[in-house]
Amino acid sequence: KDISFVMNTILLKVQKYLDSISKQPAELDNKLVEEFGEACKNALLKQFQEERSSKFELRMSNVGRPLCQLQMEAKGIKGEGQPYNNKMRNTFGDLIEALSIFVMKSAGVEIKNEQKEVTHKLGKQSIDGKQDVEIDNKVWDIKSASPYSFEKKFGEDGGFEAVVEEDSFGYATQGYLYADSQKKNFGGWIAINKSTGEWTV
């Protein structure tokens, strides 16, 4: 299928579903409610309880970052540390991702292989990662975005090419590695404005 058709289908299904439940409450799928609750619990455990390894390793989520940053991290040189609100910000992202998956499934978007562990072979080396979702045989990454990022990076003022051109966080590298490790295509990003609740694909 044409990628723009898939993008529009995801967005239209989500918009139609959210519009319908804003007018009249819907019967929720108990299985999806349980999945959402479990994802929220896992987000809390990950952000507040899990001890992060101090050992540096390349992962699909960091390999696209600036080389100098990775070199410093590999040498064990740490920056000034994260601000006190960092855990809140990271947890927001996990919770929005869980909610977006719940909404898409409720809206009839067929999701496969969510949070699947994947490995990309690089000669004798390998790099691991965990993809977000697969829709229509393409790998998609879910991003929670600030109003500015939503509009200027992912929205009408930006778009796929804009993200790729100015990609200091390595979003494109990350997405393509998730996909290429499975010999699949990278669809792009499903972005949710964490202030307004708007979506773009």
Side-chain angles (χ1 to χ4, degrees):
K1 293 178 186 175
D2 181 74
I3 189 70
S4 61
F5 174 81
V6 178
M7 289 165 53
N8 290 332
T9 299
I10 295 169
L11 191 57
L12 287 172
K13 282 185 175 181
V14 165
Q15 289 173 334
K16 184 178 178 182
Y17 173 73
L18 291 175
D19 185 59
S20 70
I21 62 170
S22 70
K23 295 171 181 172
Q24 184 175 344
E27 189 74 29
L28 295 181
D29 184 323
N30 287 333
K31 180 174 178 287
L32 297 184
V33 172
E34 290 297 323
E35 284 181 6
F36 173 69
E38 191 66 21
C40 291
K41 182 181 79 173
N42 289 336
L44 284 178
L45 293 174
K46 180 179 104 176
Q47 295 297 341
F48 286 80
Q49 183 174 291
E50 285 183 10
E51 187 173 348
R52 301 297 173 95
S53 172
S54 58
K55 179 186 174 186
F56 175 79
E57 64 175 348
L58 280 177
R59 288 189 59 82
M60 294 183 192
S61 57
N62 69 8
V63 73
R65 293 177 187 167
L67 179 59
C68 57
Q69 179 183 343
L70 296 175
Q71 288 172 328
M72 295 292 275
E73 290 176 7
K75 290 179 179 179
I77 301 171
K78 297 184 178 180
E80 295 178 0
Q82 299 289 348
Y84 82 93
N85 62 323
N86 185 58
K87 284 295 180 187
M88 293 292 291
R89 190 174 57 214
N90 290 345
T91 306
F92 287 159
D94 288 345
L95 296 177
I96 289 172
E97 181 178 321
L99 180 58
S100 67
I101 290 173
F102 169 81
V103 168
M104 284 191 286
K105 287 183 174 180
S106 297
V109 177
E110 189 177 342
I111 290 176
K112 297 179 181 177
N113 297 322
E114 62 188 270
Q115 296 301 310
K116 178 183 176 183
E117 296 275 0
V118 295
T119 300
H120 196 290
K121 300 291 184 184
L122 299 166
K124 294 181 179 179
Q125 305 297 318
S126 62
I127 184 167
D128 298 323
K130 187 185 286 186
Q131 71 178 32
D132 285 342
V133 293
E134 181 186 320
I135 301 169
D136 199 50
N137 206 40
K138 295 176 181 64
V139 174
W140 299 81
D141 214 22
I142 299 170
K143 297 294 183 192
S144 60
S146 67
Y148 180 86
S149 179
F150 181 84
E151 181 182 339
K152 301 296 183 185
K153 179 174 279 191
F154 297 106
E156 291 182 6
D157 291 346
F160 192 94
E161 296 301 329
V163 178
V164 172
E165 282 176 21
E166 196 171 325
D167 192 18
S168 57
F169 293 104
Y171 290 162
T173 304
Q174 183 180 2
Y176 278 106
L177 282 171
Y178 290 149
D180 195 56
S181 65
Q182 306 168 80
K183 302 294 184 275
K184 292 182 178 175
N185 290 325
F186 177 48
W189 298 277
I190 298 167
I192 296 95
N193 186 323
K194 57 188 172 186
S195 177
T196 66
E198 294 170 282
W199 290 54
T200 189
V201 181

